[in-house]
Amino acid sequence: MAQIGLQTAEHEEILNLIDTLRFQGISRYVDLPQVIVCGDQSSGKSSVLEAISGLRFPTKDNLCTRFATELILRRGPVPKVVVTIIPSADRTEQDAERLSNFSPPSTSIADFAEIVKSAEKDMGLDNDYTVFAKDILRVELCGPHQPNLTLVDLPGIFWAGNRAQSDNDAELVQSLVKSYMQSKRSIILAVVSAKNDLANQIITKLAREIDPKGQRTLGIITKPDLLFAGSDSEAAFVELAKNEDVYFKLGWHVLKNRDYDTKDTTSAERDAAEKEFFQTRVWSSALPSSQLGIDNLRPRLSRVLLGQILAELPSLVRDVERELDVCQSRLGALGAPRGSLLEQRTYLFHASQQFVDLTKSSVRGTYEDPFFGSADTDKGYNKRLRAIVQHTLTAFAARMRVEGHAQEIDDKEKDGQPERKSGPQFVSRQVYLDTVEARMRRNRGRELPGLFNPSIVDELFFDQCRPWKHLLHETEERLVSAARTTLELVVEHISDSVTGDGIMRFLIRPNLEIIVTKLHQKVEEVLKPHMKGHAITYNHYFTENLQKKRRDAEREEMAEKIRQFFPALDPTSELRNRRLYQGSIDTGALLAALLQDTELDMTKFACIEATNAMEAYYKVALKSVIDSFGVYAVEQCLLNELPEIFKPEIVFTLDDAMVTRIAGESLESLAEREKLNKKLKVLQDTMTTLRRLRTFGPSTHDSVSDANPHHEGEEDRSL
């Protein structure tokens, strides 16, 4: 046998470490670099594996590989074979344990066909019911001439069912093969048979769809001896082997399989017949020897696999670290096992401490804890209750100023002003004053002419602030909803999902409802003085507003009288004023006009005064209700009470039955804990192994880089 290259102890250890990871089960969580052998049914995949390993795979004319097979080849002084079954994730716990304990009938290489048949039987494969399985057959083969190589053999793809295999089986196989091919760390060994036209073999189409640039695909052409010498078909497959038809970055390789007449020949006889064939046909002159025969394929595959491992090592480490963090986080959320009452109460006590701390931080606006995550995400923002409250109350204040009054009293007449569907309705001041006058007539008391019954201000104000109730209650609902969301996220963080449901159901929600009830009562209390009773304030801002309204009205009225006395006068023109004062003015008439009663209609005067009083009081009350809602309702009745909902003292008041009902581990929680602990051990063992892989420096990668064409922008058609 020809000398097999790339067999240093360092390289062998790298491959062994990856196989250790695979055996530990890390492939369930992250993808590992591997060579997968795939092709159409009867394309010669099993013959390729036989040629590489020397093992005789059992084959039938009507049915080929029935499950994925991991073939681990290692050099060793004594030939031996170790066969195990890796159960699929779909297996029940009982079946998984049975398959994991599979014991082959023999450990002799000569009996490998019988070993595979025994494994098929344990997997439950039979032609009548189950034809293909998702379990993996793991074959470790050691021998003095084996290459350091690991391959995964997959069932052959087929499209139409028959008596031996159904259409459902075809879909199962296609799904299985695609799942392996889609792994970004897999090297695809695409096997095509020269016996069939390339257009009829689906594997190259799948390879180009899944690996469109051909970066990680190596093509294998089998059965070239079935082509007629000098035929167009032979020329087409030679062109394919030259990478001129279907291009793969890793190129193509050609093998001659045993035919039916030579199916019982030894591996040495098979290899000799292959060498003789390539020396007598067009292949040796058309292609470099490195692309022909099994002796060149073995080291080539070892180089490709090793290069892929070293190239993918950094991303593999990152993936394992990420999975490890997630796993530890989930176990942290589950907390310590809690089978006893003391463990359950202790669990709730620690959970309540975390709840109080995180809720206080959320309410106070201190977001240093990792729980809060990024504010750029919706989830992170929803954890920041203080930020939500600040934003909501700021928006509430703005809405109150814009939408809080029922009517927008406009000093100017506007014809054809459309009625709004929502928000304040426009009304001219004159129309509004007419309405006030009508009310005053119906509410006349013993007040003197020119005065008004104080109760009219109350009525006008209550009508004007009518939207307040809706705006306050709507904001109240938003804040309660935000608080509820924050609390749910806190509970989700401090406990597992099942216990969290119990905490929310029996502790958080009932206590939150009490807080919400008190909050609503406080909101009603804040609103009550502005909904009925009588307007009252001791804020000087009211008198300032009222005096300002009077001054503005007097100023406007005075300006109007001046304009009437001097029709040609434009008050905005200083030049005209100077010219006017330079002329003769009847000062007596001017004085009489200015001293004329401001308003002869005493009723109208009273209407104006009442309206001014209402508008001045509205401004004072608006500021008051906005601040009162924020301070006395939101802060005191909602935010300050939230951390108290699930404080540690509550845990000690719970009876034993309630503690167990909330904190006792469910079957789902126990199953998840067991699953996570198994995963954690696999991940921790994987990290230990990967630390050993990290010790292989750049020199290791450099030693195989020339043999591994898997580099961006590099083109090597001679492989």
Side-chain angles (χ1 to χ4, degrees):
M1 181 175 289
Q3 180 66 33
I4 299 173
L6 200 70
Q7 301 299 318
T8 67
E10 189 177 64
H11 297 161
E12 184 174 357
E13 184 177 0
I14 293 174
L15 296 174
N16 285 336
L17 289 174
I18 292 296
D19 287 331
T20 300
L21 296 180
R22 186 176 286 107
F23 186 70
Q24 290 169 347
I26 191 61
S27 297
R28 295 179 181 177
Y29 313 116
V30 296
D31 295 329
L32 289 177
Q34 58 190 355
V35 177
I36 61 169
V37 185
C38 45
D40 290 22
Q41 206 168 79
S42 302
S43 61
K45 294 187 302 80
S46 296
S47 297
V48 171
L49 292 171
E50 286 184 9
I52 294 173
S53 65
L55 283 177
R56 300 304 298 270
F57 283 76
T59 59
K60 297 180 181 179
D61 292 337
N62 62 344
L63 191 61
C64 298
T65 310
R66 308 172 72 180
F67 41 78
T69 302
E70 289 182 1
L71 185 58
I72 301 167
L73 308 177
R74 292 294 181 267
R75 297 191 72 183
V78 179
K80 66 175 182 178
V81 60
V82 177
V83 180
T84 53
I85 296 175
I86 302 176
S88 74
D90 298 340
R91 291 287 190 179
T92 64
E93 185 175 345
Q94 182 178 1
D95 282 345
E97 182 178 0
R98 176 180 57 80
L99 292 174
S100 298
N101 295 328
F102 168 72
S103 178
S106 171
T107 57
S108 171
I109 293 177
D111 297 329
F112 182 66
E114 294 303 319
I115 294 173
V116 173
K117 291 178 181 178
S118 176
E120 288 180 353
K121 183 178 180 181
D122 269 38
M123 292 180 190
L125 295 175
D126 59 75
N127 290 335
D128 294 331
Y129 300 102
T130 305
V131 179
F132 294 95
K134 294 182 180 180
D135 308 305
I136 299 172
L137 183 67
R138 191 172 194 268
V139 181
E140 300 175 63
L141 182 59
C142 186
H145 301 297
Q146 291 295 346
N148 287 320
L149 183 62
T150 300
L151 307 101
V152 180
D153 180 34
L154 300 174
I157 300 172
F158 64 97
W159 297 101
N162 56 24
R163 186 175 60 183
Q165 49 197 19
S166 68
D167 291 339
N168 289 335
D169 293 329
E171 293 179 3
L172 172 64
V173 170
Q174 293 165 31
S175 175
L176 176 66
V177 173
K178 287 180 181 179
S179 67
Y180 274 87
M181 294 176 71
Q182 286 166 347
S183 169
K184 299 298 184 182
R185 296 191 178 106
S186 290
I187 295 294
I188 301 171
L189 205 64
V191 180
V192 299
S193 170
K195 182 179 179 180
N196 298 322
D197 189 88
L198 182 64
N200 296 328
Q201 302 185 66
I202 197 64
I203 186 59
T204 56
K205 179 177 182 292
L206 288 180
R208 282 177 289 179
E209 289 177 353
I210 295 173
D211 180 27
K213 294 184 179 180
Q215 296 280 11
R216 52 187 182 86
T217 304
L218 173 62
I220 302 291
I221 299 173
T222 64
K223 307 179 184 180
D225 52 311
L226 300 182
L227 297 169
F228 290 106
S231 65
D232 292 341
S233 296
E234 185 181 59
F237 276 97
V238 169
E239 182 181 353
L240 179 67
K242 289 181 176 181
N243 225 0
E244 295 174 354
D245 185 354
V246 177
Y247 173 75
F248 293 142
K249 192 76 173 284
L250 299 180
W252 287 83
H253 203 95
V254 188
L255 295 179
K256 176 187 175 299
N257 302 82
R258 290 185 178 93
D259 55 28
Y260 184 81
D261 294 334
T262 60
K263 59 182 173 45
D264 295 325
T265 58
T266 65
S267 295
E269 291 172 337
R270 177 249 171 240
D271 294 351
E274 182 183 60
K275 289 179 181 178
E276 181 181 355
F277 169 77
F278 284 128
Q279 290 173 356
T280 59
R281 295 282 287 267
V282 68
W283 301 97
S284 59
S285 60
L287 299 171
S289 59
S290 60
Q291 286 184 252
L292 302 174
I294 194 62
D295 288 344
N296 293 311
L297 180 61
R298 294 189 187 105
R300 183 178 183 182
L301 289 178
S302 292
R303 288 192 293 270
V304 167
L305 178 58
L306 183 61
Q308 181 75 343
I309 291 171
L310 296 175
E312 292 292 332
L313 182 57
S315 65
L316 179 60
V317 171
R318 288 194 298 270
D319 286 354
V320 174
E321 288 176 339
R322 182 178 63 252
E323 289 292 325
L324 190 59
D325 289 342
V326 172
C327 185
Q328 290 173 332
S329 176
R330 287 298 306 138
L331 280 171
L334 288 175
R338 44 190 191 276
S340 68
L341 180 62
L342 177 61
E343 289 173 335
Q344 294 163 4
R345 198 178 292 275
T346 302
Y347 177 87
L348 283 181
F349 176 77
H350 289 309
S352 67
Q353 287 180 315
Q354 288 181 281
F355 176 87
V356 171
D357 292 342
L358 292 176
T359 305
K360 282 184 176 179
S361 296
S362 179
V363 168
R364 293 171 179 173
T366 53
Y367 311 126
E368 290 85 1
D369 195 281
F371 158 75
F372 293 100
S374 171
D376 295 332
T377 64
D378 290 342
K379 191 172 185 179
Y381 177 61
N382 287 332
K383 294 175 181 178
R384 293 163 163 78
L385 186 56
R386 172 56 63 180
I388 296 175
V389 169
Q390 294 290 86
H391 173 75
T392 303
L393 290 181
T394 301
F396 161 73
R399 286 190 67 191
M400 286 286 284
R401 288 189 289 270
V402 175
E403 305 175 25
H405 46 286
Q407 291 182 306
E408 186 80 44
I409 304 173
D410 201 316
D411 291 319
K412 298 179 181 179
E413 292 284 347
K414 293 184 178 180
D415 296 332
Q417 179 68 42
E419 185 176 343
R420 290 178 173 177
K421 293 183 178 180
S422 61
Q425 299 301 311
F426 284 111
V427 60
S428 69
R429 185 167 294 275
Q430 185 55 54
V431 171
Y432 187 79
L433 290 174
D434 292 342
T435 304
V436 174
E437 183 179 352
R439 283 196 172 194
M440 289 180 65
R441 285 198 304 269
R442 293 174 177 269
N443 287 276
R444 186 68 186 264
R446 292 181 295 177
E447 63 273 6
L448 296 173
L451 301 180
F452 55 86
N453 189 336
S455 66
I456 194 67
V457 177
D458 298 334
E459 288 191 22
L460 296 176
F461 170 73
F462 295 149
D463 284 348
Q464 187 71 328
C465 71
R466 194 167 54 250
W468 288 7
K469 185 171 186 177
H470 165 71
L471 292 174
L472 263 71
H473 285 166
E474 184 179 285
T475 305
E476 173 193 350
E477 291 175 3
R478 289 181 180 176
L479 292 172
V480 169
S481 177
R484 186 176 288 110
T485 299
T486 300
L487 296 182
E488 289 173 352
L489 291 171
V490 171
V491 173
E492 177 185 303
H493 179 76
I494 64 175
S495 65
D496 65 275
S497 59
V498 177
T499 306
D501 288 342
I503 293 174
M504 289 297 302
R505 179 181 177 186
F506 297 108
L507 300 176
I508 303 294
R509 292 193 185 104
N511 291 332
L512 182 60
E513 286 306 313
I514 296 174
I515 291 176
V516 171
T517 299
K518 291 180 178 179
L519 170 65
H520 188 72
Q521 292 172 348
K522 181 61 68 173
V523 172
E524 291 296 317
E525 184 180 333
V526 169
L527 280 169
K528 185 177 180 180
H530 308 295
M531 297 292 105
K532 58 182 179 179
H534 60 87
I536 185 171
T537 181
Y538 302 100
N539 193 329
H540 66 86
Y541 186 57
F542 167 73
T543 55
E544 290 178 1
N545 278 328
L546 184 57
Q547 291 170 6
K548 182 176 182 300
K549 294 288 292 182
R550 289 171 177 170
R551 286 195 302 269
D552 290 344
E554 290 172 357
R555 183 180 296 107
E556 178 61 31
E557 189 171 355
M558 190 75 72
E560 179 62 27
K561 290 182 179 298
I562 292 174
R563 284 193 294 270
Q564 292 176 1
F565 190 82
F566 302 111
L569 178 62
D570 181 358
T572 63
S573 174
E574 295 183 4
L575 178 60
R576 291 191 178 187
N577 287 340
R578 288 196 296 270
R579 290 176 178 174
L580 181 63
Y581 290 123
Q582 290 172 359
S584 60
I585 300 175
D586 186 347
T587 56
L590 175 60
L591 183 60
L594 294 177
L595 293 177
Q596 184 181 356
D597 289 339
T598 307
E599 181 58 68
L600 296 177
D601 187 341
M602 300 304 292
T603 301
K604 183 176 181 181
F605 176 79
C607 291
I608 293 173
E609 285 291 286
T611 301
N612 288 342
M614 182 277 291
E615 291 181 309
Y617 182 73
Y618 179 87
K619 291 183 178 180
V620 174
L622 179 67
K623 294 177 179 292
S624 174
V625 77
I626 290 174
D627 288 342
S628 297
F629 175 71
V631 174
Y632 299 113
V634 177
E635 293 291 337
Q636 298 300 321
C637 294
L638 178 63
L639 298 182
N640 289 353
E641 297 296 321
L642 291 180
E644 304 295 311
I645 287 180
F646 183 36
K647 57 185 179 181
E649 291 86 341
I650 292 178
V651 176
F652 294 112
T653 64
L654 298 174
D655 59 57
D656 295 347
M658 181 58 70
V659 170
T660 300
R661 188 172 185 180
I662 296 175
E665 286 196 279
S666 64
L667 294 177
E668 294 81 0
S669 179
L670 290 170
E672 183 180 10
R673 184 187 300 279
E674 182 180 4
K675 180 180 177 181
L676 287 171
N677 280 324
K678 288 180 179 179
K679 180 178 179 179
L680 181 64
K681 184 178 186 310
V682 171
L683 292 168
Q684 289 173 336
D685 292 344
T686 298
M687 284 306 302
T688 301
T689 305
L690 288 175
R691 291 189 190 101
R692 293 176 62 190
L693 272 175
R694 279 174 164 174
T695 62
F696 297 100
S699 59
T700 305
H701 188 273
D702 293 342
S703 66
V704 296
S705 61
D706 293 336
N708 178 24
H710 186 41
H711 298 284
E712 187 69 30
E714 185 176 333
E715 193 167 321
D716 186 351
R717 298 173 180 266
S718 64
L719 287 176

mmCIF file of all heavy atoms in Angstrom, residues 485-498:
data_model
loop_
_atom_site.group_PDB
_atom_site.id
_atom_site.type_symbol
_atom_site.label_atom_id
_atom_site.label_comp_id
_atom_site.label_asym_id
_atom_site.label_seq_id
_atom_site.Cartn_x
_atom_site.Cartn_y
_atom_site.Cartn_z
ATOM 1 N N THR A 485 -46.254 44.031 32.867
ATOM 2 C CA THR A 485 -45.254 43.455 31.962
ATOM 3 C C THR A 485 -43.882 43.387 32.624
ATOM 4 O O THR A 485 -43.170 42.379 32.530
ATOM 5 C CB THR A 485 -45.162 44.287 30.670
ATOM 6 O OG1 THR A 485 -46.431 44.273 30.011
ATOM 7 C CG2 THR A 485 -44.105 43.723 29.731
ATOM 8 N N THR A 486 -43.494 44.454 33.310
ATOM 9 C CA THR A 486 -42.198 44.468 33.995
ATOM 10 C C THR A 486 -42.120 43.381 35.054
ATOM 11 O O THR A 486 -41.119 42.664 35.161
ATOM 12 C CB THR A 486 -41.950 45.844 34.634
ATOM 13 O OG1 THR A 486 -41.958 46.854 33.619
ATOM 14 C CG2 THR A 486 -40.609 45.876 35.349
ATOM 15 N N LEU A 487 -43.184 43.241 35.837
ATOM 16 C CA LEU A 487 -43.187 42.216 36.885
ATOM 17 C C LEU A 487 -43.105 40.820 36.282
ATOM 18 O O LEU A 487 -42.420 39.939 36.829
ATOM 19 C CB LEU A 487 -44.451 42.351 37.735
ATOM 20 C CG LEU A 487 -44.591 43.657 38.537
ATOM 21 C CD1 LEU A 487 -45.869 43.627 39.363
ATOM 22 C CD2 LEU A 487 -43.385 43.880 39.421
ATOM 23 N N GLU A 488 -43.786 40.595 35.188
ATOM 24 C CA GLU A 488 -43.720 39.282 34.532
ATOM 25 C C GLU A 488 -42.301 38.986 34.062
ATOM 26 O O GLU A 488 -41.823 37.846 34.174
ATOM 27 C CB GLU A 488 -44.690 39.244 33.355
ATOM 28 C CG GLU A 488 -46.158 39.198 33.775
ATOM 29 C CD GLU A 488 -47.105 39.330 32.595
ATOM 30 O OE1 GLU A 488 -46.604 39.605 31.480
ATOM 31 O OE2 GLU A 488 -48.328 39.162 32.772
ATOM 32 N N LEU A 489 -41.611 39.988 33.530
ATOM 33 C CA LEU A 489 -40.236 39.794 33.080
ATOM 34 C C LEU A 489 -39.301 39.540 34.259
ATOM 35 O O LEU A 489 -38.358 38.744 34.154
ATOM 36 C CB LEU A 489 -39.766 41.018 32.290
ATOM 37 C CG LEU A 489 -40.430 41.213 30.928
ATOM 38 C CD1 LEU A 489 -40.063 42.566 30.333
ATOM 39 C CD2 LEU A 489 -40.036 40.095 29.972
ATOM 40 N N VAL A 490 -39.548 40.213 35.383
ATOM 41 C CA VAL A 490 -38.736 39.969 36.581
ATOM 42 C C VAL A 490 -38.928 38.542 37.062
ATOM 43 O O VAL A 490 -37.961 37.823 37.351
ATOM 44 C CB VAL A 490 -39.103 40.977 37.694
ATOM 45 C CG1 VAL A 490 -38.424 40.582 39.007
ATOM 46 C CG2 VAL A 490 -38.679 42.385 37.297
ATOM 47 N N VAL A 491 -40.177 38.101 37.154
ATOM 48 C CA VAL A 491 -40.463 36.735 37.620
ATOM 49 C C VAL A 491 -39.898 35.706 36.653
ATOM 50 O O VAL A 491 -39.372 34.665 37.071
ATOM 51 C CB VAL A 491 -41.985 36.548 37.797
ATOM 52 C CG1 VAL A 491 -42.320 35.091 38.103
ATOM 53 C CG2 VAL A 491 -42.504 37.454 38.904
ATOM 54 N N GLU A 492 -39.985 35.986 35.369
ATOM 55 C CA GLU A 492 -39.412 35.084 34.368
ATOM 56 C C GLU A 492 -37.914 34.925 34.574
ATOM 57 O O GLU A 492 -37.354 33.848 34.351
ATOM 58 C CB GLU A 492 -39.690 35.650 32.974
ATOM 59 C CG GLU A 492 -39.091 34.847 31.839
ATOM 60 C CD GLU A 492 -39.293 35.533 30.495
ATOM 61 O OE1 GLU A 492 -40.456 35.801 30.142
ATOM 62 O OE2 GLU A 492 -38.287 35.824 29.814
ATOM 63 N N HIS A 493 -37.264 35.996 35.031
ATOM 64 C CA HIS A 493 -35.808 35.974 35.230
ATOM 65 C C HIS A 493 -35.411 35.242 36.501
ATOM 66 O O HIS A 493 -34.365 34.584 36.538
ATOM 67 C CB HIS A 493 -35.284 37.410 35.279
ATOM 68 C CG HIS A 493 -33.811 37.512 35.505
ATOM 69 N ND1 HIS A 493 -32.877 37.259 34.515
ATOM 70 C CD2 HIS A 493 -33.088 37.836 36.622
ATOM 71 C CE1 HIS A 493 -31.664 37.429 34.999
ATOM 72 N NE2 HIS A 493 -31.756 37.774 36.270
ATOM 73 N N ILE A 494 -36.211 35.330 37.555
ATOM 74 C CA ILE A 494 -35.794 34.803 38.858
ATOM 75 C C ILE A 494 -36.242 33.371 39.096
ATOM 76 O O ILE A 494 -35.859 32.773 40.106
ATOM 77 C CB ILE A 494 -36.342 35.692 39.996
ATOM 78 C CG1 ILE A 494 -37.869 35.651 40.022
ATOM 79 C CG2 ILE A 494 -35.825 37.112 39.862
ATOM 80 C CD1 ILE A 494 -38.493 36.406 41.185
ATOM 81 N N SER A 495 -37.028 32.799 38.198
ATOM 82 C CA SER A 495 -37.535 31.444 38.438
ATOM 83 C C SER A 495 -37.748 30.715 37.127
ATOM 84 O O SER A 495 -37.731 31.324 36.060
ATOM 85 C CB SER A 495 -38.859 31.501 39.220
ATOM 86 O OG SER A 495 -39.859 32.117 38.427
ATOM 87 N N ASP A 496 -37.944 29.410 37.227
ATOM 88 C CA ASP A 496 -38.294 28.643 36.040
ATOM 89 C C ASP A 496 -39.734 28.946 35.660
ATOM 90 O O ASP A 496 -40.490 29.550 36.427
ATOM 91 C CB ASP A 496 -38.108 27.149 36.293
ATOM 92 C CG ASP A 496 -39.063 26.626 37.356
ATOM 93 O OD1 ASP A 496 -38.728 26.733 38.559
ATOM 94 O OD2 ASP A 496 -40.148 26.144 36.999
ATOM 95 N N SER A 497 -40.124 28.523 34.469
ATOM 96 C CA SER A 497 -41.428 28.909 33.940
ATOM 97 C C SER A 497 -42.583 28.382 34.787
ATOM 98 O O SER A 497 -43.562 29.097 35.025
ATOM 99 C CB SER A 497 -41.578 28.417 32.497
ATOM 100 O OG SER A 497 -41.435 27.006 32.429
ATOM 101 N N VAL A 498 -42.471 27.141 35.257
ATOM 102 C CA VAL A 498 -43.578 26.557 36.031
ATOM 103 C C VAL A 498 -43.716 27.256 37.375
ATOM 104 O O VAL A 498 -44.817 27.657 37.786
ATOM 105 C CB VAL A 498 -43.352 25.046 36.221
ATOM 106 C CG1 VAL A 498 -44.454 24.454 37.095
ATOM 107 C CG2 VAL A 498 -43.315 24.338 34.869
#
